[in-house]
Amino acid sequence: MSIERVELYELTLPLLEPFIISGGTMTVRRSLVVVLQDDQGNRGYGESPPFELPFYSEETLAGARDLLEHVLIPRLIRSSTENPEAVDTALRIGVRGNAFARAGVETAVWDLEAARRKTGLAALLGERAGVQPATTIACGVALGIPPDRSTETLRRWIDEAIAQGYRRIKIKVAPGWDAAPVAAARDAMAGSGLPLTVDANGGYEWPEHESNLRRLDEARLLYIEQPLPPDELVGHAQLVDELKTPICLDETLKDARAARQIVHLGGPRVWNIKVHRLGGLSEVGRVYAIARGFGAELWAGTMPESGIGSQAALAAASLPGFVYPSDLEPSIRWFGRNSDVIKLTMTSDGHMDVPTTSIAARLDGERFKEAARLIAVTSGE
């Protein structure tokens, strides 16, 4: 794959309102965007979306930028690899973790292949997995902890989400913000027929918060997402036996190695697949194969990313076995009207089309120029 030029941008998209989880608060979505150009003028785009502080993972935006500038992009330029999987292998040599940084480059290489072959990421991913991707995916809403910690605010958000057509409601929980919001959500959702899930982002400890988790277990939830810290593989496997409600893994599922351990332990069988947390689409393919063998039920999570990074998540969500609504939401939900660099839209019945073209074909170039700042340019010459 002849890459002639690599551009690195910082993309800044203000959020409509703060998004609060158990570990921290986000008011502006800053991420890094890698743009590749080959000798035929084709362009591939990839997003690296770690947070600025390490409340979700150990990786930060500043660390990802440094690694991209000084290690990963120069290595890509020197590489003579011919496909995304080979690039993924090259990026891992001597680099532990740093999945978000690697994903920025790796997904851009996938998109460059899509541009060269005049197709979309979903078609490429389905081709590699030997499956036929779906043409639409179901969308679920992810509601953060209200800044005012008011269940009335949460009820209002849920009313709006139901009216907009979302196919699943998810609320963020934390010790001290769990029983009351779940009860409020249940009341607000009465008669809707929609499933309710909660996401703790690793905010609980076992057995310290056993009573909290037992109460959640009685709340008729579709699943409880990431109740314990990310390194609690054994703890999450134990919760499968302790609780009736299915346990869903997010931060714990960081790569195929973790997936194999989950299988060996007989752990949770609901998996949140986040492309950038896994390091890119090549690792998604490896985890997907393990999940299918284990019988895990999948869905696609987001950070959330901009419309650029969401293209990879949409591709993953289109694969058979992704049975639950994803966290992919219309751009207006996070950034307001006409603010995202690729506009994501949702139908009135809560579905989103899976793109059949590369990212460059869908990018709002003018909006990207307004929201992105060029950081570095690397030439392959």
Side-chain angles (χ1 to χ4, degrees):
M1 184 174 293
S2 178
I3 296 174
E4 298 291 307
R5 178 182 172 93
V6 183
E7 298 168 351
L8 180 62
Y9 293 86
E10 181 178 279
L11 179 66
T12 302
L13 297 174
L15 296 178
L16 275 182
E17 57 190 10
F19 186 60
I20 304 174
I21 66 174
S22 62
T25 301
M26 181 172 58
T27 58
V28 175
R29 192 56 177 116
R30 290 190 176 89
S31 62
L32 301 166
V33 175
V34 177
V35 183
L36 311 179
Q37 183 171 310
D38 68 10
D39 54 359
Q40 301 299 311
N42 297 301
R43 292 169 73 83
Y45 290 77
E47 186 168 356
S48 175
F51 294 124
E52 294 177 76
L53 294 175
F55 58 78
Y56 175 82
S57 74
E58 300 89 340
E59 200 170 353
T60 65
L61 192 68
R65 172 179 171 175
D66 187 74
L67 192 65
L68 282 162
E69 281 193 75
H70 299 112
V71 178
L72 301 182
I73 289 175
R75 184 177 293 180
L76 175 69
I77 289 292
R78 294 193 303 267
S79 174
S80 59
T81 51
E82 298 179 354
N83 58 65
E85 292 86 353
V87 168
D88 174 67
T89 299
L91 296 178
R92 291 170 178 270
I93 298 172
V95 177
R96 287 191 177 182
N98 291 278
F100 288 102
R102 290 187 286 107
V105 176
E106 196 265 6
T107 55
V109 176
W110 277 85
D111 187 52
L112 184 59
E113 180 180 331
R116 296 171 72 175
R117 294 177 56 181
K118 295 180 171 53
T119 188
L121 292 173
L124 295 183
L125 204 56
E127 176 186 279
R128 302 295 211 279
V131 298
Q132 182 64 42
T135 57
T136 64
I137 60 104
C139 301
V141 70
L143 300 174
I145 299 172
D148 59 2
R149 294 272 176 151
S150 165
T151 56
E152 289 307 310
T153 299
L154 181 63
R155 287 170 184 268
R156 175 171 55 81
W157 288 353
I158 291 173
D159 288 343
E160 292 169 355
I162 293 172
Q164 289 161 8
Y166 285 100
R167 308 311 305 156
R168 179 222 65 205
I169 305 294
K170 177 171 85 173
I171 64 173
K172 298 287 185 175
V173 295
W177 178 260
D178 41 28
V182 167
R186 275 277 170 238
D187 185 57
M189 295 169 62
S192 70
L194 296 180
L196 173 66
T197 71
V198 298
D199 182 7
N201 290 111
Y204 294 88
E205 299 283 352
W206 183 274
E208 178 182 349
H209 295 115
E210 179 176 356
S211 61
N212 301 72
L213 292 172
R214 295 282 185 198
R215 284 194 294 271
L216 289 175
D217 193 32
E218 300 299 325
R220 295 173 289 117
L221 301 168
L222 184 62
Y223 51 76
I224 301 171
E225 184 180 350
Q226 195 66 42
L228 306 180
D231 56 357
E232 282 279 9
L233 273 78
V234 172
H236 282 107
Q238 290 175 333
L239 283 186
V240 171
D241 296 326
E242 291 284 348
L243 305 181
K244 302 185 297 294
T245 306
I247 302 299
C248 170
L249 294 179
D250 178 358
E251 292 95 324
T252 294
L253 187 67
K254 61 181 182 179
D255 54 24
R257 184 179 295 110
R260 289 192 294 269
Q261 293 179 64
I262 292 161
V263 171
H264 181 74
L265 292 169
R269 292 177 184 263
V270 181
W271 293 1
N272 172 353
I273 302 296
K274 282 184 178 171
V275 175
H276 303 89
R277 186 199 65 228
L278 289 173
L281 288 168
S282 299
E283 191 74 355
V284 167
R286 289 185 280 267
V287 171
Y288 179 69
I290 295 168
R292 297 288 272 175
F294 184 48
E297 298 176 312
L298 308 176
W299 58 280
T302 67
M303 293 303 292
E305 307 88 8
S306 77
I308 291 174
S310 296
Q311 305 304 297
L314 271 166
S318 73
L319 298 179
F322 281 72
V323 298
Y324 294 126
S326 78
D327 275 352
L328 285 151
E329 301 184 47
S331 299
I332 194 171
R333 150 86 163 105
W334 297 110
F335 309 116
R337 194 174 303 276
N338 301 321
S339 294
D340 202 351
V341 292
I342 295 179
K343 185 177 181 180
L344 303 180
T345 60
M346 184 179 75
T347 62
S348 60
D349 66 348
H351 288 78
M352 190 174 291
D353 289 338
V354 176
T356 58
T357 62
S358 67
I359 291 174
R362 308 186 71 228
L363 185 72
D364 184 333
E366 289 303 313
R367 180 70 191 111
F368 185 75
K369 288 179 182 178
E370 294 172 358
R373 177 175 64 89
L374 182 64
I375 296 172
V377 177
T378 305
S379 173
E381 297 177 356

